Amino acid sequence: MPKQYAMVGGAAMLERTVGVFVRSPLIDAVVVAIAADDRHLYEDAFGSAPSAKLLAPVTGGETRQHSVLRGLRALAPLKPDRILIHDGARPFVTEAIIERALAATETASAAVVAMPLSDTLKRADAAGRVVETLNRTGLWRAQTPQVFRFPEILAAHEAAASTGNQEFTDDAAVAEWAGHTVVIVEGSETNYKITTAEDLAMVRNVEPNVPDIRTGQGFDVHRLVPGDHVWLCGVRIAHAQGLEGHSDADVGLHALTDALLGAISDGDIGQHFPNTDARWRGAASHVFLAEAARRVRARGGTIANADVTLLCEAPKVAPHREAMRHRISDILGIAPQRVSIKATTTEGLGFTGRREGIAALATATVILR
Ligand code: MG
């Protein structure tokens, strides 16, 4: 599949790229140049009722330059004042970049979004030996969008096509060739072009411009046996039964531990604290929860909230709710306002209804940097 149609964050890359322009109040119309064979992919990506701003796609040409010319010709009847030309494979362009680029053409004929070169440039011979280190002063990496006065860039592209020159690698080069002044506008490091499978894998893992928010869920059950207390959410509660388990059997903390591990895709409580390990016999379960929180922090994560639901007929949870919230907030190192404890019976139904065991559900949200 052509990379423009590969899925990035739940949408085709091209759909995301086009969406930024379609949503911009500064843009009146958008036309996309596509390969003839990609029409069905385009229709799949944009659906049957795309935005009114999005005109019918044009079929691109042999070269990038030729495809742009066809797009320009399609827009000519609208008599646009200015035009932004953008790569479909740069989905992380922002409204701020569009605004800066357009603002630059209030005074200049054309503007190209670019970033200063930070790497040192080497020239090498055919054998891979460095023959020269180039001075990078004044060198920029051109990105898109590139903004032009519409009549000027259309005329420049038509003139370039009539000379048969198809060697231009971007539209600013066409404008420069036609004698127009092009100014640089600062782009963004995250406005990168997705070119290789490696680029695609990278953006699928870490998206620029979007907070990386993860949710995890956990579930646990422990059997009720004769006893005189239970541990629930880090609080010891006197009770006519006890909970059976290798550790202190705190079903609430176990479910929450799994929720945190789930949020960072880091296995589960049984994997980190196997019940075959004598170290965890009778262990206080805050140790498990604290370790899960440490693992979240080690990944650069911040715990945004934790929510636990206990399922039991007894003991009554309400009198202990505040103590549980504060205990969990202490273990996780987050404010009690970010911790929620809820409880429900199961109306006498099932193993919890028959007081054979207590179950717990938990969710946790983690924000990764
Ligand atoms: Mg357990």
Side-chain angles (χ1 to χ4, degrees):
M1 179 187 282
K3 67 181 179 197
Q4 305 92 293
Y5 300 96
M7 298 297 276
V8 173
M13 190 191 307
L14 184 62
E15 183 189 2
R16 294 191 51 166
T17 307
V18 168
V20 178
F21 291 89
V22 163
R23 285 190 299 274
S24 170
L26 299 167
I27 305 290
D28 296 314
V30 178
V31 68
V32 183
I34 64 171
D37 292 345
D38 293 351
R39 190 156 291 266
H40 62 290
L41 290 171
Y42 181 89
E43 282 163 7
D44 282 353
F46 289 91
S48 54
S51 156
K53 279 189 192 179
L54 183 58
L55 311 182
V58 297
T59 303
E62 293 289 292
T63 61
R64 182 190 177 286
Q65 193 184 326
H66 194 196
S67 297
V68 170
L69 177 56
R70 289 191 172 174
L72 292 172
R73 285 175 179 160
L75 286 166
L78 302 180
K79 299 192 187 312
D81 171 36
R82 279 174 292 169
I83 180 157
L84 297 93
I85 302 175
H86 187 69
D87 291 327
R90 290 188 193 269
F92 304 119
V93 60
T94 61
E95 175 70 14
I97 292 175
I98 293 173
E99 232 178 274
R100 280 203 293 279
L102 273 168
T105 54
E106 295 292 341
T107 48
S109 180
V112 50
V113 167
M115 291 301 287
L117 210 63
S118 55
D119 297 329
T120 299
L121 284 184
K122 303 285 186 189
R123 191 190 304 283
D125 63 15
R129 271 187 305 257
V130 172
V131 293
E132 189 186 3
T133 297
L134 301 169
N135 183 349
R136 69 182 179 210
T137 309
L139 292 183
W140 294 76
R141 290 179 290 127
Q143 301 182 334
T144 66
Q146 303 186 346
V147 191
F148 307 91
R149 299 188 189 286
F150 185 82
E152 289 179 5
I153 194 65
L154 177 59
H157 262 285
E158 293 285 12
S162 68
T163 63
N165 188 341
Q166 290 286 317
E167 302 304 307
F168 298 105
T169 53
D170 72 353
D171 305 290
V174 177
E176 292 155 38
W177 171 80
H180 300 298
T181 304
V182 180
V183 297
I184 296 277
V185 177
E186 196 181 344
S188 159
E189 281 303 341
T190 57
N191 180 31
Y192 40 70
K193 190 171 179 180
I194 298 170
T195 307
T196 62
E198 198 183 2
D199 296 341
L200 186 60
M202 183 183 72
V203 302
R204 280 176 167 169
N205 186 32
V206 180
E207 276 231 7
N209 315 328
V210 176
D212 193 356
I213 296 174
R214 311 286 181 95
T215 303
Q217 55 131 342
F219 175 71
D220 196 29
V221 172
H222 280 265
R223 186 186 295 273
L224 281 163
V225 291
D228 61 7
H229 72 277
V230 293
W231 283 93
L232 286 176
C233 293
V235 174
R236 188 184 194 276
I237 301 172
H239 187 49
Q241 291 173 293
L243 285 169
E244 184 181 59
H246 187 68
S247 64
D248 66 7
D250 189 328
V251 66
L253 293 192
H254 293 183
L256 185 53
T257 299
D258 262 356
L260 283 174
L261 294 172
I264 56 169
S265 309
D266 189 8
D268 63 18
I269 191 170
Q271 179 188 328
H272 294 292
F273 307 100
N275 61 13
T276 51
D277 188 332
R279 268 185 303 166
W280 314 122
R281 191 187 309 281
S285 296
H286 65 80
V287 172
F288 309 149
L289 186 59
E291 171 61 10
R294 188 197 66 76
R295 286 176 170 272
V296 169
R297 286 191 297 273
R299 285 282 309 279
T302 301
I303 301 166
N305 86 305
D307 183 18
V308 181
T309 303
L310 296 167
L311 288 80
C312 56
E313 300 293 323
K316 287 238 172 301
V317 169
H320 307 285
R321 189 194 310 267
E322 285 311 302
M324 291 174 174
R325 287 179 75 199
H326 283 86
R327 184 71 188 112
I328 289 174
S329 108
D330 282 346
I331 299 166
L332 296 180
I334 63 174
Q337 292 90 330
R338 293 177 181 273
V339 180
S340 155
I341 305 291
K342 309 191 302 302
T344 182
T345 70
T346 53
E347 301 285 339
L349 298 169
F351 69 87
T352 52
R354 292 188 300 269
R355 302 177 188 231
E356 294 166 5
I358 294 180
L361 300 157
T363 57
T365 308
V366 165
I367 303 165
L368 291 182
R369 283 192 292 276

